[in-house]
mmCIF file of all heavy atoms in Angstrom:
data_model
loop_
_atom_site.group_PDB
_atom_site.id
_atom_site.type_symbol
_atom_site.label_atom_id
_atom_site.label_comp_id
_atom_site.label_asym_id
_atom_site.label_seq_id
_atom_site.Cartn_x
_atom_site.Cartn_y
_atom_site.Cartn_z
ATOM 1 N N GLY W 1 102.147 100.607 127.723
ATOM 2 C CA GLY W 1 101.753 99.454 128.499
ATOM 3 C C GLY W 1 101.856 98.096 127.738
ATOM 4 O O GLY W 1 101.475 97.069 128.359
ATOM 5 N N LYS W 2 102.360 98.103 126.581
ATOM 6 C CA LYS W 2 102.531 96.899 125.798
ATOM 7 C C LYS W 2 104.032 96.616 125.544
ATOM 8 O O LYS W 2 104.772 97.557 125.270
ATOM 9 C CB LYS W 2 101.753 96.984 124.462
ATOM 10 C CG LYS W 2 100.267 97.015 124.655
ATOM 11 C CD LYS W 2 99.522 97.059 123.291
ATOM 12 C CE LYS W 2 98.055 97.134 123.476
ATOM 13 N NZ LYS W 2 97.328 97.185 122.155
ATOM 14 N N LEU W 3 104.398 95.357 125.536
ATOM 15 C CA LEU W 3 105.758 94.956 125.225
ATOM 16 C C LEU W 3 105.814 94.653 123.717
ATOM 17 O O LEU W 3 105.233 93.679 123.326
ATOM 18 C CB LEU W 3 106.190 93.752 126.064
ATOM 19 C CG LEU W 3 106.734 94.030 127.471
ATOM 20 C CD1 LEU W 3 106.972 92.707 128.182
ATOM 21 C CD2 LEU W 3 107.946 94.916 127.449
ATOM 22 N N ILE W 4 106.622 95.471 123.055
ATOM 23 C CA ILE W 4 106.806 95.283 121.590
ATOM 24 C C ILE W 4 108.169 94.752 121.248
ATOM 25 O O ILE W 4 109.153 95.285 121.782
ATOM 26 C CB ILE W 4 106.532 96.643 120.862
ATOM 27 C CG1 ILE W 4 105.200 97.237 121.214
ATOM 28 C CG2 ILE W 4 106.678 96.476 119.334
ATOM 29 C CD1 ILE W 4 103.987 96.360 120.877
ATOM 30 N N GLY W 5 108.229 93.739 120.454
ATOM 31 C CA GLY W 5 109.501 93.148 120.071
ATOM 32 C C GLY W 5 110.141 93.833 118.894
ATOM 33 O O GLY W 5 109.513 94.056 117.861
ATOM 34 N N GLU W 6 111.412 94.164 119.087
ATOM 35 C CA GLU W 6 112.233 94.741 117.998
ATOM 36 C C GLU W 6 113.458 93.881 117.820
ATOM 37 O O GLU W 6 113.764 92.998 118.634
ATOM 38 C CB GLU W 6 112.648 96.207 118.357
ATOM 39 C CG GLU W 6 111.476 97.133 118.482
ATOM 40 C CD GLU W 6 110.900 97.664 117.179
ATOM 41 O OE1 GLU W 6 111.367 97.232 116.126
ATOM 42 O OE2 GLU W 6 109.969 98.482 117.230
ATOM 43 N N ASN W 7 114.208 94.145 116.721
ATOM 44 C CA ASN W 7 115.446 93.483 116.539
ATOM 45 C C ASN W 7 116.483 94.521 116.181
ATOM 46 O O ASN W 7 116.413 95.158 115.111
ATOM 47 C CB ASN W 7 115.361 92.429 115.445
ATOM 48 C CG ASN W 7 116.603 91.453 115.488
ATOM 49 O OD1 ASN W 7 117.702 91.886 115.455
ATOM 50 N ND2 ASN W 7 116.313 90.147 115.652
ATOM 51 N N THR W 8 117.383 94.712 117.069
ATOM 52 C CA THR W 8 118.378 95.781 116.903
ATOM 53 C C THR W 8 119.686 95.297 116.425
ATOM 54 O O THR W 8 120.632 96.053 116.234
ATOM 55 C CB THR W 8 118.634 96.588 118.239
ATOM 56 O OG1 THR W 8 119.079 95.705 119.235
ATOM 57 C CG2 THR W 8 117.332 97.217 118.695
ATOM 58 N N ASP W 9 119.813 93.954 116.147
ATOM 59 C CA ASP W 9 121.054 93.384 115.622
ATOM 60 C C ASP W 9 121.404 94.036 114.269
ATOM 61 O O ASP W 9 122.460 94.643 114.056
ATOM 62 C CB ASP W 9 120.915 91.902 115.431
ATOM 63 C CG ASP W 9 120.943 91.109 116.725
ATOM 64 O OD1 ASP W 9 121.611 91.550 117.676
ATOM 65 O OD2 ASP W 9 120.283 90.091 116.754
ATOM 66 N N GLY W 10 120.397 93.887 113.322
ATOM 67 C CA GLY W 10 120.661 94.494 111.986
ATOM 68 C C GLY W 10 120.680 95.916 112.028
ATOM 69 O O GLY W 10 121.391 96.605 111.256
ATOM 70 N N LYS W 11 119.844 96.612 112.870
ATOM 71 C CA LYS W 11 119.736 98.075 112.944
ATOM 72 C C LYS W 11 121.102 98.631 113.422
ATOM 73 O O LYS W 11 121.579 99.667 112.966
ATOM 74 C CB LYS W 11 118.651 98.450 113.861
ATOM 75 C CG LYS W 11 117.246 98.326 113.320
ATOM 76 C CD LYS W 11 116.190 98.769 114.260
ATOM 77 C CE LYS W 11 114.832 98.832 113.638
ATOM 78 N NZ LYS W 11 114.348 97.496 113.279
ATOM 79 N N GLY W 12 121.761 97.966 114.358
ATOM 80 C CA GLY W 12 123.037 98.373 114.916
ATOM 81 C C GLY W 12 124.064 98.284 113.792
ATOM 82 O O GLY W 12 124.967 99.174 113.644
ATOM 83 N N PHE W 13 124.105 97.203 112.999
ATOM 84 C CA PHE W 13 125.054 97.093 112.003
ATOM 85 C C PHE W 13 124.811 98.168 110.876
ATOM 86 O O PHE W 13 125.740 98.825 110.435
ATOM 87 C CB PHE W 13 124.924 95.716 111.282
ATOM 88 C CG PHE W 13 125.808 95.621 110.075
ATOM 89 C CD1 PHE W 13 127.142 95.333 110.150
ATOM 90 C CD2 PHE W 13 125.313 95.786 108.796
ATOM 91 C CE1 PHE W 13 127.934 95.217 109.052
ATOM 92 C CE2 PHE W 13 126.064 95.748 107.624
ATOM 93 C CZ PHE W 13 127.419 95.440 107.821
ATOM 94 N N LEU W 14 123.544 98.410 110.566
ATOM 95 C CA LEU W 14 123.195 99.379 109.557
ATOM 96 C C LEU W 14 123.671 100.794 109.956
ATOM 97 O O LEU W 14 124.253 101.575 109.146
ATOM 98 C CB LEU W 14 121.692 99.392 109.234
ATOM 99 C CG LEU W 14 121.194 100.292 108.170
ATOM 100 C CD1 LEU W 14 121.802 100.002 106.817
ATOM 101 C CD2 LEU W 14 119.667 100.234 108.092
ATOM 102 N N LYS W 15 123.445 101.165 111.198
ATOM 103 C CA LYS W 15 123.882 102.428 111.693
ATOM 104 C C LYS W 15 125.371 102.611 111.645
ATOM 105 O O LYS W 15 125.899 103.700 111.235
ATOM 106 C CB LYS W 15 123.376 102.617 113.119
ATOM 107 C CG LYS W 15 123.635 104.010 113.735
ATOM 108 C CD LYS W 15 123.026 104.053 115.146
ATOM 109 C CE LYS W 15 123.342 105.387 115.860
ATOM 110 N NZ LYS W 15 122.646 106.513 115.190
ATOM 111 N N SER W 16 126.127 101.516 111.946
ATOM 112 C CA SER W 16 127.554 101.525 111.816
ATOM 113 C C SER W 16 128.041 101.620 110.411
ATOM 114 O O SER W 16 128.935 102.450 110.115
ATOM 115 C CB SER W 16 128.095 100.256 112.453
ATOM 116 O OG SER W 16 129.565 100.236 112.376
ATOM 117 N N LEU W 17 127.435 100.891 109.503
ATOM 118 C CA LEU W 17 127.807 100.922 108.073
ATOM 119 C C LEU W 17 127.592 102.293 107.480
ATOM 120 O O LEU W 17 128.406 102.784 106.705
ATOM 121 C CB LEU W 17 126.987 99.850 107.346
ATOM 122 C CG LEU W 17 127.210 99.756 105.828
ATOM 123 C CD1 LEU W 17 128.635 99.396 105.488
ATOM 124 C CD2 LEU W 17 126.242 98.771 105.202
ATOM 125 N N ARG W 18 126.497 102.919 107.885
ATOM 126 C CA ARG W 18 126.188 104.290 107.264
ATOM 127 C C ARG W 18 127.259 105.320 107.683
ATOM 128 O O ARG W 18 127.273 106.391 107.065
ATOM 129 C CB ARG W 18 124.871 104.712 107.696
ATOM 130 C CG ARG W 18 123.691 104.023 106.955
ATOM 131 C CD ARG W 18 122.350 104.437 107.376
ATOM 132 N NE ARG W 18 121.342 104.188 106.380
ATOM 133 C CZ ARG W 18 120.073 104.003 106.660
ATOM 134 N NH1 ARG W 18 119.612 104.053 107.901
ATOM 135 N NH2 ARG W 18 119.203 103.765 105.674
ATOM 136 N N GLU W 19 128.116 105.037 108.596
ATOM 137 C CA GLU W 19 129.198 105.944 108.927
ATOM 138 C C GLU W 19 130.280 105.903 107.827
ATOM 139 O O GLU W 19 131.075 106.845 107.647
ATOM 140 C CB GLU W 19 129.835 105.541 110.295
ATOM 141 C CG GLU W 19 128.898 105.766 111.459
ATOM 142 C CD GLU W 19 129.459 105.296 112.767
ATOM 143 O OE1 GLU W 19 130.676 104.862 112.779
ATOM 144 O OE2 GLU W 19 128.655 105.188 113.769
ATOM 145 N N LEU W 20 130.274 104.872 107.016
ATOM 146 C CA LEU W 20 131.163 104.746 105.843
ATOM 147 C C LEU W 20 130.477 104.943 104.509
ATOM 148 O O LEU W 20 131.021 105.565 103.657
ATOM 149 C CB LEU W 20 131.799 103.330 105.842
ATOM 150 C CG LEU W 20 132.928 103.097 106.792
ATOM 151 C CD1 LEU W 20 133.535 101.692 106.621
ATOM 152 C CD2 LEU W 20 134.092 104.160 106.636
ATOM 153 N N THR W 21 129.237 104.402 104.391
ATOM 154 C CA THR W 21 128.557 104.466 103.148
ATOM 155 C C THR W 21 127.053 104.214 103.317
ATOM 156 O O THR W 21 126.653 103.567 104.261
ATOM 157 C CB THR W 21 129.136 103.385 102.103
ATOM 158 O OG1 THR W 21 128.618 103.618 100.818
ATOM 159 C CG2 THR W 21 128.839 101.992 102.524
ATOM 160 N N ASP W 22 126.299 104.630 102.297
ATOM 161 C CA ASP W 22 124.892 104.329 102.233
ATOM 162 C C ASP W 22 124.742 103.023 101.494
ATOM 163 O O ASP W 22 125.140 102.922 100.310
ATOM 164 C CB ASP W 22 124.144 105.499 101.539
ATOM 165 C CG ASP W 22 122.641 105.291 101.504
ATOM 166 O OD1 ASP W 22 122.205 104.155 101.856
ATOM 167 O OD2 ASP W 22 121.891 106.231 101.094
ATOM 168 N N PRO W 23 124.113 102.006 102.066
ATOM 169 C CA PRO W 23 124.018 100.710 101.380
ATOM 170 C C PRO W 23 122.957 100.721 100.246
ATOM 171 O O PRO W 23 122.948 99.718 99.437
ATOM 172 C CB PRO W 23 123.617 99.746 102.473
ATOM 173 C CG PRO W 23 122.922 100.592 103.526
ATOM 174 C CD PRO W 23 123.624 101.932 103.465
ATOM 175 N N ARG W 24 122.197 101.746 100.143
ATOM 176 C CA ARG W 24 121.163 101.838 99.102
ATOM 177 C C ARG W 24 121.907 101.684 97.734
ATOM 178 O O ARG W 24 122.880 102.417 97.427
ATOM 179 C CB ARG W 24 120.425 103.119 99.168
ATOM 180 C CG ARG W 24 119.311 103.266 98.116
ATOM 181 C CD ARG W 24 118.673 104.662 98.277
ATOM 182 N NE ARG W 24 118.107 104.848 99.578
ATOM 183 C CZ ARG W 24 116.852 104.355 99.915
ATOM 184 N NH1 ARG W 24 116.142 103.706 99.087
ATOM 185 N NH2 ARG W 24 116.463 104.585 101.161
ATOM 186 N N GLY W 25 121.382 100.814 96.880
ATOM 187 C CA GLY W 25 121.959 100.594 95.549
ATOM 188 C C GLY W 25 123.295 99.895 95.495
ATOM 189 O O GLY W 25 123.880 99.780 94.404
ATOM 190 N N LYS W 26 123.696 99.272 96.561
ATOM 191 C CA LYS W 26 124.910 98.552 96.582
ATOM 192 C C LYS W 26 124.779 97.080 96.421
ATOM 193 O O LYS W 26 123.719 96.456 96.813
ATOM 194 C CB LYS W 26 125.722 98.826 97.955
ATOM 195 C CG LYS W 26 125.941 100.258 98.238
ATOM 196 C CD LYS W 26 126.963 100.823 97.272
ATOM 197 C CE LYS W 26 127.522 102.173 97.755
ATOM 198 N NZ LYS W 26 126.556 103.252 98.036
ATOM 199 N N ASN W 27 125.772 96.394 95.851
ATOM 200 C CA ASN W 27 125.851 94.960 95.709
ATOM 201 C C ASN W 27 126.598 94.444 96.986
ATOM 202 O O ASN W 27 127.745 94.746 97.192
ATOM 203 C CB ASN W 27 126.571 94.548 94.475
ATOM 204 C CG ASN W 27 125.903 94.965 93.180
ATOM 205 O OD1 ASN W 27 124.645 94.783 93.074
ATOM 206 N ND2 ASN W 27 126.612 95.578 92.295
ATOM 207 N N ILE W 28 125.886 93.629 97.718
ATOM 208 C CA ILE W 28 126.393 93.165 99.030
ATOM 209 C C ILE W 28 126.473 91.716 99.144
ATOM 210 O O ILE W 28 125.534 90.941 98.796
ATOM 211 C CB ILE W 28 125.509 93.746 100.159
ATOM 212 C CG1 ILE W 28 125.383 95.294 100.046
ATOM 213 C CG2 ILE W 28 126.103 93.386 101.553
ATOM 214 C CD1 ILE W 28 124.398 95.914 101.020
ATOM 215 N N VAL W 29 127.605 91.217 99.614
ATOM 216 C CA VAL W 29 127.865 89.779 99.865
ATOM 217 C C VAL W 29 127.919 89.602 101.408
ATOM 218 O O VAL W 29 128.672 90.301 102.098
ATOM 219 C CB VAL W 29 129.121 89.269 99.247
ATOM 220 C CG1 VAL W 29 129.436 87.827 99.657
ATOM 221 C CG2 VAL W 29 129.080 89.410 97.713
ATOM 222 N N VAL W 30 127.138 88.628 101.937
ATOM 223 C CA VAL W 30 127.103 88.374 103.345
ATOM 224 C C VAL W 30 127.536 86.982 103.561
ATOM 225 O O VAL W 30 126.925 85.989 103.006
ATOM 226 C CB VAL W 30 125.703 88.615 103.958
ATOM 227 C CG1 VAL W 30 125.659 88.332 105.473
ATOM 228 C CG2 VAL W 30 125.254 90.026 103.684
ATOM 229 N N LEU W 31 128.537 86.729 104.402
ATOM 230 C CA LEU W 31 129.043 85.399 104.749
ATOM 231 C C LEU W 31 128.283 84.839 105.943
ATOM 232 O O LEU W 31 128.273 85.563 107.003
ATOM 233 C CB LEU W 31 130.508 85.445 105.029
ATOM 234 C CG LEU W 31 131.456 86.084 103.985
ATOM 235 C CD1 LEU W 31 132.921 86.041 104.464
ATOM 236 C CD2 LEU W 31 131.340 85.242 102.661
ATOM 237 N N GLY W 32 127.654 83.684 105.828
ATOM 238 C CA GLY W 32 126.937 83.117 106.916
ATOM 239 C C GLY W 32 125.468 83.274 106.714
ATOM 240 O O GLY W 32 124.965 84.193 106.000
ATOM 241 N N ALA W 33 124.664 82.406 107.373
ATOM 242 C CA ALA W 33 123.191 82.482 107.217
ATOM 243 C C ALA W 33 122.491 82.257 108.611
ATOM 244 O O ALA W 33 121.365 81.817 108.671
ATOM 245 C CB ALA W 33 122.717 81.438 106.238
ATOM 246 N N GLY W 34 123.242 82.589 109.693
ATOM 247 C CA GLY W 34 122.688 82.445 111.009
ATOM 248 C C GLY W 34 121.808 83.684 111.410
ATOM 249 O O GLY W 34 121.474 84.467 110.602
ATOM 250 N N GLY W 35 121.633 83.837 112.730
ATOM 251 C CA GLY W 35 120.727 84.851 113.174
ATOM 252 C C GLY W 35 121.260 86.239 112.905
ATOM 253 O O GLY W 35 120.486 87.124 112.516
ATOM 254 N N ALA W 36 122.554 86.500 113.035
ATOM 255 C CA ALA W 36 123.107 87.769 112.728
ATOM 256 C C ALA W 36 122.972 88.095 111.260
ATOM 257 O O ALA W 36 122.612 89.222 110.872
ATOM 258 C CB ALA W 36 124.605 87.826 113.158
ATOM 259 N N SER W 37 123.276 87.180 110.461
ATOM 260 C CA SER W 37 123.171 87.364 108.943
ATOM 261 C C SER W 37 121.735 87.639 108.610
ATOM 262 O O SER W 37 121.431 88.542 107.776
ATOM 263 C CB SER W 37 123.650 86.090 108.254
ATOM 264 O OG SER W 37 123.385 86.261 106.820
ATOM 265 N N ARG W 38 120.797 86.931 109.181
ATOM 266 C CA ARG W 38 119.352 87.140 108.930
ATOM 267 C C ARG W 38 118.963 88.600 109.245
ATOM 268 O O ARG W 38 118.298 89.254 108.459
ATOM 269 C CB ARG W 38 118.535 86.164 109.759
ATOM 270 C CG ARG W 38 117.086 85.979 109.441
ATOM 271 C CD ARG W 38 116.447 85.021 110.364
ATOM 272 N NE ARG W 38 115.072 84.672 110.087
ATOM 273 C CZ ARG W 38 114.738 83.646 109.277
ATOM 274 N NH1 ARG W 38 115.672 82.785 108.870
ATOM 275 N NH2 ARG W 38 113.419 83.409 109.076
#
């Protein structure tokens, strides 16, 4: 009965990335600082 806010932008990217590699322990560079990057 309650509306709970989630953010699936990053979750969708993470699920896709895990098809190639586990990001745990990785050095990662992200281009941009907008909403998707956040």
Side-chain angles (χ1 to χ4, degrees):
K2 296 181 178 181
L3 278 174
I4 305 301
E6 298 282 359
N7 196 302
T8 60
D9 288 327
K11 287 181 171 64
F13 175 80
L14 183 61
K15 185 176 176 68
S16 179
L17 179 62
R18 279 177 162 159
E19 295 174 7
L20 282 183
T21 189
D22 184 349
R24 183 182 301 275
K26 300 294 196 302
N27 296 313
I28 304 174
V29 174
V30 181
L31 305 178
S37 175
R38 192 182 188 95

